[in-house]
Amino acid sequence: MKLSDMRDLLARHDIQLTKSLGQNFLHDAHQLERIVAAAELVPADKVLEIGPGLGPLTERLLEKAGDVLAIEKDARLIPILRERFSAPRLQLLHDDALDFLKRESRDWHDWKLVANLPYSVASPILVELAAGVRAPKMMVVTLQLEVAQRLMAQTDDDDYGVLTLLVQLDFEPRGWFKIPPGCFFPPPDVDSACVCLDRRAAPLLAEPQRKIFYRLVKKSFSQRRKMMLKLLKQDWPRERLEAAFAELNISPMERAEKLSLEQFVALTEKLPLA
Ligand code: SAM
């Protein structure tokens, strides 16, 4: 789908794009091919696409994968998509994807997420999907470069934080590439990147402990510059925390950004279930 085709379609349907819906459509064939290649699609794959827009990625997904479920919030785009695609393998839903994911709580474990996400809801969508045994086996997502850096960050990086840990608990970043603003219509004000995340072969924590991990991470980063032990004392008994820190050789003066994912996991295992 060329830029001229996108412009024609939008003009024919008298559609003005909506900034709040993150409507920056990807028209660059090379970048679309890189995204699809990163998803390593085979005909047996089931793919979830969030925000198909005018369908430049959808058409490639339908070529390479099996079933595609595409969820689009903008009602004006639904008839265009229906007109463009007749494949029975495409299920098109008109819905807010975040509401849908929360409401349906489906099992995505044998699905891949391949999407050029609406930037304003990219992080909550990823956190919602990444959690737990029902998470997709792979997520190949295009989003704001700044968010991509948080997803790939390592301990002590500036971008390391809550999003990093909530997603990396279940996913390992495999690679990424930058997508320049000129590849989109209209070009966004920010840089973009495609990130590839693979679900871990085995979960690092059992299901009941995940809630503790989330609480621990969120509390530890609630005031980034403060010693995390001090912050955690608001939620857990002091003696229990001090013993856990000592057993794990973590200094009581440490700040959250210095602790690795493995240390957060180990600390979670030492804390009582709420
Ligand atoms: N996939 C298309 C492409 O690559 O050109 C469009 C990507 S555009 C960045 C994001 C798309 O997500 C838009 O079509 C927008 O209408 C849609 N969208 C925005 N918020 C959404 C939501 N909460 N749920 C589902 N779709 C949403």
Side-chain angles (χ1 to χ4, degrees):
M1 190 176 205
K2 296 197 295 273
L3 176 56
S4 52
D5 300 329
M6 285 189 172
R7 286 187 196 273
D8 285 351
L9 263 181
L10 293 169
R12 200 147 42 85
H13 289 82
D14 196 19
I15 293 176
Q16 306 288 329
L17 294 180
T18 310
K19 208 170 175 176
S20 62
L21 286 175
Q23 291 182 332
N24 302 99
F25 296 152
L26 187 54
H27 58 77
D28 185 289
H30 174 58
Q31 302 296 347
L32 285 158
E33 271 151 33
R34 289 175 88 188
I35 294 171
V36 172
E40 300 170 349
L41 295 172
V42 294
D45 278 334
K46 293 193 269 184
V47 177
L48 169 64
E49 185 189 8
I50 290 176
L54 294 173
L57 184 57
T58 322
E59 69 182 300
R60 285 173 164 77
L61 298 176
L62 285 167
E63 274 166 28
K64 303 270 182 195
D67 292 340
V68 176
L69 169 60
I71 309 175
E72 173 57 58
K73 183 171 177 173
D74 188 342
R76 301 172 303 171
L77 303 178
I78 302 294
I80 302 183
L81 289 163
R82 292 211 195 283
E83 201 176 288
R84 284 200 67 203
F85 303 109
S86 55
R89 287 184 292 112
L90 172 66
Q91 191 190 353
L92 180 62
L93 292 183
H94 171 220
D95 208 337
D96 179 303
L98 190 55
D99 291 349
F100 173 86
L101 294 174
K102 288 187 171 162
R103 197 176 63 231
E104 296 277 319
S105 66
R106 278 203 196 181
D107 187 348
W108 300 105
H109 88 274
D110 61 350
W111 288 69
K112 293 178 177 177
L113 170 70
V114 185
N116 175 13
L117 290 173
Y119 292 178
S120 59
V121 283
S123 301
I125 283 177
L126 287 177
V127 169
E128 184 65 33
L129 263 177
V133 287
R134 294 196 305 248
K137 55 184 168 189
M138 187 192 288
M139 304 201 289
V140 176
V141 283
T142 300
L143 24 69
Q144 211 174 320
L145 178 62
E146 195 190 305
V147 179
Q149 283 164 336
R150 280 192 242 153
L151 291 170
M152 296 175 307
Q154 300 294 323
T155 317
D156 211 15
D157 287 351
D158 287 347
D159 302 303
Y160 184 70
V162 175
L163 183 65
T164 316
L165 288 158
L166 296 195
V167 172
Q168 289 191 12
L169 177 65
D170 295 286
F171 285 84
E172 287 177 288
R174 174 176 22 110
W176 71 285
F177 52 90
K178 213 164 156 175
I179 306 186
C183 297
F184 299 88
F185 173 74
D189 302 330
V190 292
D191 281 328
S192 306
C194 175
V195 185
C196 314
L197 300 154
D198 292 330
R199 193 181 62 212
R200 293 185 185 280
L204 298 180
L205 281 175
E207 205 53 31
Q209 290 170 316
R210 307 177 61 85
K211 274 198 184 128
I212 302 187
F213 177 86
Y214 291 152
R215 205 168 131 202
L216 178 67
V217 167
K218 285 180 184 167
K219 194 75 191 179
S220 301
F221 281 94
S222 57
Q223 288 170 274
R224 220 183 153 89
R225 301 285 157 215
K226 273 205 171 169
M227 288 182 276
M228 61 181 276
L229 186 62
K230 271 198 175 163
L231 297 166
L232 295 177
K233 278 179 191 165
Q234 298 165 12
D235 282 18
W236 282 278
R238 186 165 58 93
E239 305 73 40
R240 192 77 183 245
L241 285 167
E242 285 172 355
F245 271 60
E247 279 170 53
L248 296 171
N249 263 329
I250 303 171
S251 158
M253 317 278 279
E254 209 62 288
R255 287 179 318 202
E257 63 209 22
K258 301 281 181 196
L259 254 66
S260 65
L261 168 67
E262 291 71 23
Q263 285 175 306
F264 273 106
V265 166
L267 200 50
T268 301
E269 283 168 334
K270 303 247 173 247
L271 294 176
L273 294 174

